[in-house]
Every structure is written in structure tokens, then in C-alpha cells.
Amino acid sequence: MDLVPNPDGSISSTVSAGRTSGSAPPAQPGAPKAVDKDTTAGILFGVGAYGLWGLLPLYFFVLQPAGAVEIVANRVVWSLLFCALLITVTRAWRVLGAALRNRSVLATLAVAAGLIAVNWLTYTYGVTTGQAVETSLGYFINPLVSVLLGVFVLKETLRPLQWAAVGIGFVAVGVLTVSYGKLPWIALTLAVSFGLYGFVKKRVGPRADAVTSLTVESIVLAPLAAATMVFLAVTGSASLTTQGPAHFWLLLASGVITAVPLVFFGASARRLPMTTIGLLQYFAPVLQFIVALVVFREAMTLERWIGFGVVWLALLVLTVDMLAATRKNSAAKRLARKEARADT
């Protein structure tokens, strides 16, 4: 599948062995140090982005007693204000205006906003109700959902190892269903909503960058989010102004915490091949899983360990296939360049 979603806002399409459209041109011979420095920076930005996303459960934990609905409502409103600041600093108001005037882009991002709202609510609910392990599972199985979307929606043809990974994934869901005594609906909702979000965002493509996309999505969701905040305040259910100044500023910081990883991700994607970005994306659910076990002390039965093990096996198969396809495509491109030089 040619989607590399990130857990909080932007979607990039993979290019088997190349770089993203905004990357720097290939370095000329004699300048390997510049390339190494650029690659190192890209990896650091990528680790920073996925690391922040992976540690997000800790942020939700310190926001107690705020519930999932209040956290997401605040996240939307303060993200919009922070994005407005970013757009002002980068002088990108014309880009935002063009996106808002383009009916196709606006409609697509409105659908994306609905999907990411479902994703954020489900994720926050899972973390704040002691089910962070299952939320990490959702992002582990997300690549498998993306593959299935490629088959059923984009009519893509899968390679044998991709089919094997999907089959192993179904086995894993079955094992985990037995372990939980029910379908792991939080994980499945996260995986499906984010998989569909990735598909929808791919339709926007380069017409809206990460910050512009997040801003438009926040604009779409802001009226409902603001109304929710008002309702919670009127009914006495809001914690924004009732838990002291530290809690107040922590909730306001949700805008920064939402947008900064997106900026890091964009900086990483401009410097690294998308295959590398695809491998880095596993960093977030691994951290989420570790936080759930070590910090939140969530229980893991033997059956759940087996289920997660099967999921990781599916991801290993998928990763091996991706790396093999990348090497094959790289070799084909090198051969084509040699033949082109020979012809000239």
C-alpha cells in the first residue's frame, strides 16, 4: 500500500525508493557530508515526531479529571489558534485561503475532519479509561488496514507477502477477540478511521500541506468543539477553569502538542525516503505500548501477548516485503539510468 499516515494529521504517499516532492535535489559527487547531515536531521525530526505521538498517553494522563470529549474539544480549538499563529509567522494565509476557496479540497478535508474526530475521540477515550494497550494495537494494525483499502477501494494488486501479512493479521484479530472476550473495538475503530483518513487525505495530495490541512480540519470542527466547551462549562462538567492554573495551561498546550509533531514530521519527510518514514511510524505504537505497561501498569495476559506477537509477525512480513520491493525498484531505476546513458 502506498500510504504512510502519521498518527495526528498529515498523510504522505510512498515513493518506492525516492524522496518526497519537497526534498532537496540529489547531492553532487564530492558532497557526501551534506547528505549525511541532511539524513541525520531527517531521522532526528522523524524520531521527534513519532516520539511525541508515542508519549501522548502521558499527556492525557496528567489532564485528569478531564474526559475524552473535553480533551478533544480543547485540542481542536487551541490547535486552530496555534495553527493561525504558525500561518501568520510563515505568511501562508494565501495558501490557506486558496484551500478554503477550492470546493474539492474543502469538501475532502471536511470528510477528513470527521474521520480524525472519531479517531481522536476513540484514542483519548481508550487512554483515559485504562485501555492504552488496545489503543497501541490500533496503530500497529493500521498498516494492514491500509493494505486492505488498497485492494478493495483502489483495486490494487497485492504481492504474495502482502497477502500473507493480511492473513496473519486476521489470525491476530481472532486471537485477540478470544483474549478480550469481545472484538477489540477500540483498536479496530482506530485502525479503520485512520486508514480511511489516510485514503481521504491522499485525495487532497499536494494541494494542502500538513499545517494547512490541520487548520482547515480545525476550522470545520471548531464550531462543534467550541459549543461542546460551552456546554460542559454551563453544566459544570468542564475542568478547564476548575482545576487550577497548571491544568488550565496544560489544556491550552494541546494546540502546541498537536501541531509541533506535524511540523517535525514535515521536516523529516522532506529529508528522508518514504520507506524510512514507513519504518519510523512503528516507533509511536511501540512507545504507546511501553507506556501502557510500564507507567499505567495495564495487564497483559498470555493470550494477549500471543495476539500481539501475531500482529508483530504480520508487520515483520509487511516490512520485509516493503524493503524487498524498494530494493527491486531501486535496481530497476539504476538499470534504466545506465541504459539511458548508453543510448546517448
Short mmCIF file of all heavy atoms in Angstrom, two decimals, residues 19-47:
data_model
loop_
_atom_site.label_atom_id
_atom_site.label_comp_id
_atom_site.label_asym_id
_atom_site.label_seq_id
_atom_site.Cartn_x
_atom_site.Cartn_y
_atom_site.Cartn_z
N ARG A 19 12.48 10.29 -2.86
CA ARG A 19 12.19 11.17 -1.77
C ARG A 19 10.89 11.87 -2.04
O ARG A 19 10.34 11.80 -3.12
CB ARG A 19 13.33 12.21 -1.60
CG ARG A 19 14.64 11.55 -1.18
CD ARG A 19 15.71 12.62 -1.04
NE ARG A 19 16.98 12.00 -0.72
CZ ARG A 19 17.41 11.74 0.50
NH1 ARG A 19 16.65 12.02 1.52
NH2 ARG A 19 18.58 11.18 0.72
N THR A 20 10.39 12.57 -1.05
CA THR A 20 9.15 13.29 -1.24
C THR A 20 9.39 14.46 -2.16
O THR A 20 10.51 14.89 -2.38
CB THR A 20 8.63 13.81 0.10
OG1 THR A 20 9.63 14.62 0.70
CG2 THR A 20 8.26 12.69 1.03
N SER A 21 8.26 14.99 -2.70
CA SER A 21 8.36 16.01 -3.72
C SER A 21 9.07 17.25 -3.23
O SER A 21 9.64 17.99 -4.02
CB SER A 21 6.95 16.39 -4.21
OG SER A 21 6.16 16.84 -3.14
N GLY A 22 9.05 17.49 -1.93
CA GLY A 22 9.68 18.69 -1.42
C GLY A 22 11.12 18.50 -1.01
O GLY A 22 11.71 19.36 -0.40
N SER A 23 11.74 17.33 -1.32
CA SER A 23 13.08 17.05 -0.85
C SER A 23 14.11 17.80 -1.67
O SER A 23 13.85 18.26 -2.78
CB SER A 23 13.36 15.54 -0.92
OG SER A 23 13.25 15.11 -2.24
N ALA A 24 15.30 17.89 -1.13
CA ALA A 24 16.36 18.58 -1.83
C ALA A 24 16.83 17.74 -3.01
O ALA A 24 16.71 16.52 -3.01
CB ALA A 24 17.53 18.84 -0.87
N PRO A 25 17.39 18.35 -4.05
CA PRO A 25 17.89 17.60 -5.19
C PRO A 25 19.06 16.73 -4.79
O PRO A 25 19.74 17.01 -3.80
CB PRO A 25 18.32 18.71 -6.17
CG PRO A 25 18.56 19.90 -5.31
CD PRO A 25 17.59 19.80 -4.20
N PRO A 26 19.32 15.65 -5.56
CA PRO A 26 20.41 14.76 -5.23
C PRO A 26 21.73 15.52 -5.13
O PRO A 26 22.01 16.42 -5.92
CB PRO A 26 20.42 13.76 -6.41
CG PRO A 26 19.04 13.84 -6.97
CD PRO A 26 18.60 15.25 -6.77
N ALA A 27 22.52 15.15 -4.14
CA ALA A 27 23.79 15.84 -3.95
C ALA A 27 24.76 15.49 -5.06
O ALA A 27 24.75 14.37 -5.59
CB ALA A 27 24.38 15.46 -2.59
N GLN A 28 25.60 16.41 -5.44
CA GLN A 28 26.60 16.18 -6.46
C GLN A 28 27.76 15.41 -5.86
O GLN A 28 28.01 15.44 -4.65
CB GLN A 28 27.09 17.52 -7.01
CG GLN A 28 26.00 18.34 -7.68
CD GLN A 28 25.39 17.63 -8.87
OE1 GLN A 28 26.11 17.00 -9.64
NE2 GLN A 28 24.08 17.71 -9.01
N PRO A 29 28.53 14.71 -6.71
CA PRO A 29 29.70 13.99 -6.20
C PRO A 29 30.62 14.94 -5.45
O PRO A 29 30.84 16.09 -5.84
CB PRO A 29 30.36 13.45 -7.48
CG PRO A 29 29.24 13.36 -8.47
CD PRO A 29 28.34 14.52 -8.15
N GLY A 30 31.20 14.43 -4.36
CA GLY A 30 32.11 15.25 -3.59
C GLY A 30 31.46 15.94 -2.42
O GLY A 30 32.10 16.70 -1.71
N ALA A 31 30.14 15.70 -2.22
CA ALA A 31 29.45 16.36 -1.09
C ALA A 31 28.72 15.37 -0.21
O ALA A 31 27.58 15.58 0.15
CB ALA A 31 28.49 17.40 -1.62
N PRO A 32 29.37 14.24 0.17
CA PRO A 32 28.68 13.24 1.00
C PRO A 32 28.36 13.73 2.39
O PRO A 32 27.40 13.31 2.99
CB PRO A 32 29.69 12.07 1.04
CG PRO A 32 31.02 12.73 0.82
CD PRO A 32 30.75 13.86 -0.11
N LYS A 33 29.16 14.67 2.94
CA LYS A 33 28.91 15.13 4.29
C LYS A 33 27.58 15.85 4.40
O LYS A 33 26.86 15.71 5.37
CB LYS A 33 30.04 16.04 4.75
CG LYS A 33 31.37 15.29 4.94
CD LYS A 33 32.44 16.22 5.46
CE LYS A 33 33.76 15.47 5.66
NZ LYS A 33 34.83 16.37 6.15
N ALA A 34 27.23 16.63 3.38
CA ALA A 34 25.96 17.35 3.40
C ALA A 34 24.79 16.39 3.39
O ALA A 34 23.79 16.58 4.07
CB ALA A 34 25.87 18.31 2.21
N VAL A 35 24.93 15.32 2.59
CA VAL A 35 23.87 14.32 2.52
C VAL A 35 23.70 13.64 3.87
O VAL A 35 22.60 13.44 4.37
CB VAL A 35 24.17 13.28 1.42
CG1 VAL A 35 23.15 12.16 1.45
CG2 VAL A 35 24.19 13.95 0.05
N ASP A 36 24.84 13.26 4.50
CA ASP A 36 24.77 12.60 5.80
C ASP A 36 24.12 13.51 6.84
O ASP A 36 23.33 13.05 7.66
CB ASP A 36 26.19 12.21 6.24
CG ASP A 36 26.79 11.10 5.38
OD1 ASP A 36 26.01 10.43 4.68
OD2 ASP A 36 28.01 10.94 5.43
N LYS A 37 24.46 14.79 6.82
CA LYS A 37 23.89 15.74 7.77
C LYS A 37 22.40 15.87 7.56
O LYS A 37 21.62 15.90 8.52
CB LYS A 37 24.58 17.09 7.61
CG LYS A 37 24.13 18.13 8.62
CD LYS A 37 24.90 19.44 8.44
CE LYS A 37 24.44 20.48 9.45
NZ LYS A 37 25.18 21.76 9.26
N ASP A 38 21.97 15.93 6.30
CA ASP A 38 20.56 16.05 5.98
C ASP A 38 19.78 14.82 6.42
O ASP A 38 18.69 14.91 6.98
CB ASP A 38 20.39 16.27 4.47
CG ASP A 38 19.13 17.06 4.14
OD1 ASP A 38 18.82 18.02 4.87
OD2 ASP A 38 18.48 16.72 3.14
N THR A 39 20.37 13.65 6.18
CA THR A 39 19.71 12.40 6.57
C THR A 39 19.60 12.29 8.08
O THR A 39 18.57 11.88 8.61
CB THR A 39 20.48 11.20 6.01
OG1 THR A 39 20.53 11.29 4.58
CG2 THR A 39 19.82 9.89 6.40
N THR A 40 20.69 12.66 8.77
CA THR A 40 20.66 12.63 10.23
C THR A 40 19.58 13.54 10.78
O THR A 40 18.83 13.17 11.70
CB THR A 40 22.03 13.04 10.79
OG1 THR A 40 23.03 12.14 10.31
CG2 THR A 40 22.01 13.02 12.31
N ALA A 41 19.47 14.74 10.21
CA ALA A 41 18.43 15.68 10.66
C ALA A 41 17.05 15.10 10.40
O ALA A 41 16.16 15.21 11.24
CB ALA A 41 18.59 17.02 9.93
N GLY A 42 16.87 14.46 9.25
CA GLY A 42 15.58 13.85 8.93
C GLY A 42 15.19 12.77 9.91
O GLY A 42 14.03 12.69 10.35
N ILE A 43 16.15 11.94 10.28
CA ILE A 43 15.88 10.87 11.25
C ILE A 43 15.54 11.46 12.61
O ILE A 43 14.61 11.01 13.29
CB ILE A 43 17.08 9.92 11.35
CG1 ILE A 43 17.22 9.12 10.04
CG2 ILE A 43 16.93 8.96 12.54
CD1 ILE A 43 18.45 8.24 9.98
N LEU A 44 16.29 12.50 13.02
CA LEU A 44 16.02 13.13 14.31
C LEU A 44 14.63 13.76 14.34
O LEU A 44 13.90 13.64 15.33
CB LEU A 44 17.09 14.18 14.61
CG LEU A 44 18.49 13.63 14.93
CD1 LEU A 44 19.48 14.77 15.10
CD2 LEU A 44 18.46 12.76 16.17
N PHE A 45 14.26 14.45 13.26
CA PHE A 45 12.92 15.03 13.18
C PHE A 45 11.85 13.93 13.22
O PHE A 45 10.81 14.07 13.87
CB PHE A 45 12.76 15.87 11.91
CG PHE A 45 13.29 17.27 12.03
CD1 PHE A 45 14.27 17.73 11.17
CD2 PHE A 45 12.80 18.13 13.01
CE1 PHE A 45 14.77 19.03 11.28
CE2 PHE A 45 13.29 19.43 13.13
CZ PHE A 45 14.28 19.88 12.26
N GLY A 46 12.09 12.82 12.49
CA GLY A 46 11.13 11.72 12.46
C GLY A 46 10.96 11.07 13.82
O GLY A 46 9.84 10.81 14.26
N VAL A 47 12.09 10.83 14.50
CA VAL A 47 12.03 10.26 15.84
C VAL A 47 11.31 11.23 16.79
O VAL A 47 10.53 10.82 17.65
CB VAL A 47 13.44 9.93 16.35
CG1 VAL A 47 13.42 9.57 17.83
CG2 VAL A 47 14.04 8.79 15.55
#
